[in-house]
Amino acid sequence: MAEIDYNLIFDAITLALHRAFPEARIHGGEIKQDLRDGDYNVLPISASHIARMGNRAQRKVLFDVTYYASDEGGRAECLEKAHSMSSVLGTVETSGGDKLHCLSFEHTVEDNVLHCIVGYPHFVRETAEADEEAMASLATLI
């Protein structure tokens, strides 16, 4: 099991989209020009980190996966994509082989643009750096 960070989850989402929709272009930020019908854009929205007992923490990251439908397809095309994306993004795999399950999936359609808000909660184990030197030897005096 690899260490999971937010960038690995971002990569897992984009790879899942590439596998499911190989003809589509997947963007990962601001699109200044050359946006085409059928393109996707994946943007992080928020992330949370909640400490738990011991050295565990619960994290959750939300992404907005945006799909740009054609004018001809409109809302119907957006709803078709929303239906298929719930399966495509339901479980994503990181480059380290870890599988993450999308436990929150919501979508909205505005001006023939589909916004799928997906959330991937997961637990991490935090390692504490030792401030003290490791004990070299232990002797008992009698």
Side-chain angles (χ1 to χ4, degrees), residues 100-134:
L100 293 161
H101 303 288
C102 176
L103 298 184
S104 62
F105 181 93
E106 297 179 25
H107 72 270
T108 59
V109 178
E110 297 175 23
D111 298 328
N112 294 339
V113 176
L114 171 68
H115 293 271
C116 293
I117 310 301
V118 293
Y120 293 90
H122 59 284
F123 285 92
V124 295
R125 181 164 290 154
E126 299 174 325
T127 57
E129 297 292 326
D131 292 333
E132 302 173 16
E133 289 185 27

Side-chain angles (χ1 to χ4, degrees), residues 10-27 39-43 64-67 81 84-86 88-89 92 116 118 120:
F10 175 83
D11 291 343
I13 292 170
T14 57
L15 288 173
L17 290 170
H18 276 295
R19 279 193 295 274
F21 310 109
E23 71 289 347
R25 295 185 319 157
I26 314 297
H27 304 277
D39 283 0
Y40 290 86
N41 195 13
V42 180
L43 297 170
D64 181 2
V65 179
T66 307
Y67 173 75
K81 286 296 177 180
S84 63
M85 283 178 33
S86 63
V88 169
L89 300 177
V92 295
C116 293
V118 293
Y120 293 90

